[in-house]
Amino acid sequence: MNLMTAARITPPADHPRPGLRERKKIKTREGIRAAMYALVEEQGYDATTIEQIAERAEVSPSTVFRYFPTKEDIVLTDEWDPVMLAELRMRPADEPWPVSIRHVVREAIAVGIDEDLAVSRLRARLTAEVPAVRSRMMESMSVTGRMLCGVIAERTGGDPQSLEVRVYAMALVGALMETTLYWADHDHEDDLKELAERALDVLERGLPAAPAAPGGTTG
């Protein structure tokens, strides 16, 4: 979820601490991302090459590709999805599904903005402005949606392959992506948390009623 690329939840306190090897991998991934963000700010996305990113991160180009298959993946890939799913599974079993979703989304945005608002804005802007990044995001949405289907089915007792579950999962993923794009399109002037709440309101309640036209009609 691209809103998810603007935010990462901190793993639960009781989550096992990653081993040394995994911590090194995380450090390498974060170093590659940081190198790319800095280069993009300096010279723009199109002018930034994998070779430059590798040099700035002090790794080889092959290492960059081992962690991120494409340059667009450096912008989009983070540790959000598995953590989000874990957080959803930790919510009380009797909690209404929309409440669980709102809790996780709120926490994700708060953590992401607190960690680095500038990076959150940059990632959202690149998704909105760079066709290759936006295209790659559309591809990744399908993967995220399928993962979400499993959690939705567990909580609702539905079939993860049913039309209803698949439609809801992709609607949620799409709504959060559009929230990110809207935020970027409007120069990040709006509060991202409020935008996400509005998007979730639409999913739960449908479109708000149109304002009444002059004369008391709505047509």
Side-chain angles (χ1 to χ4, degrees):
M1 303 183 193
N2 196 40
L3 179 68
M4 314 39 198
T5 67
R8 288 199 298 274
I9 278 183
T10 301
D14 59 352
H15 192 277
R17 178 177 173 78
L20 177 60
R21 185 174 182 179
E22 183 58 30
R23 293 202 301 274
K24 287 182 176 179
K25 289 181 179 180
I26 292 172
K27 184 177 180 180
T28 300
R29 281 197 297 269
E30 292 180 346
I32 293 170
R33 287 194 197 105
M36 180 179 184
Y37 299 153
L39 286 164
V40 169
E41 290 282 26
E42 293 169 12
Q43 61 189 30
Y45 180 85
D46 290 336
T48 298
T49 67
I50 292 295
E51 289 72 23
Q52 291 172 334
I53 295 168
E55 182 178 0
R56 180 71 65 94
E58 299 183 340
V59 298
S60 67
S62 62
T63 296
V64 175
F65 282 121
R66 187 163 67 248
Y67 284 91
F68 303 99
T70 69
K71 189 170 76 169
E72 292 74 35
D73 288 321
I74 305 177
V75 178
L76 299 173
T77 305
D78 59 22
E79 287 71 48
W80 158 259
D81 283 347
V83 176
M84 178 201 71
L85 298 178
E87 286 282 328
L88 284 172
R89 287 188 169 103
M90 290 176 63
R91 301 304 299 166
D94 59 348
E95 183 176 69
W97 175 252
V99 175
S100 297
I101 287 291
R102 284 184 187 269
H103 170 84
V104 173
V105 170
R106 287 169 183 159
E107 187 173 349
I109 294 172
V111 171
I113 290 177
D114 288 346
E115 283 184 353
D116 199 328
L117 178 58
V119 167
S120 295
R121 287 175 170 171
L122 174 62
R123 298 178 82 177
R125 178 168 61 81
L126 291 176
T127 304
E129 296 179 355
V130 180
V133 175
R134 192 162 58 252
S135 177
R136 187 66 170 171
M137 167 53 64
M138 297 297 291
E139 294 177 23
S140 70
M141 282 176 58
S142 178
V143 176
T144 300
R146 293 294 180 265
M147 294 170 63
L148 191 57
C149 281
V151 180
I152 295 172
E154 291 171 12
R155 287 290 301 272
T156 64
D159 178 355
Q161 296 303 318
S162 70
L163 174 63
E164 290 76 12
V165 169
R166 291 171 62 172
V167 166
Y168 182 86
M170 292 308 299
L172 175 59
V173 172
L176 295 177
M177 187 189 82
E178 285 301 322
T179 299
T180 299
L181 296 177
Y182 182 95
W183 188 48
D185 288 343
H186 291 77
D187 297 320
H188 310 104
E189 293 177 354
D190 299 283
D191 185 290
L192 183 58
K193 296 185 292 296
E194 292 181 2
L195 293 179
E197 293 287 349
R198 286 170 56 188
L200 294 174
D201 284 345
V202 172
L203 283 182
E204 290 179 31
R205 306 166 193 166
L207 288 173
T217 65
T218 57

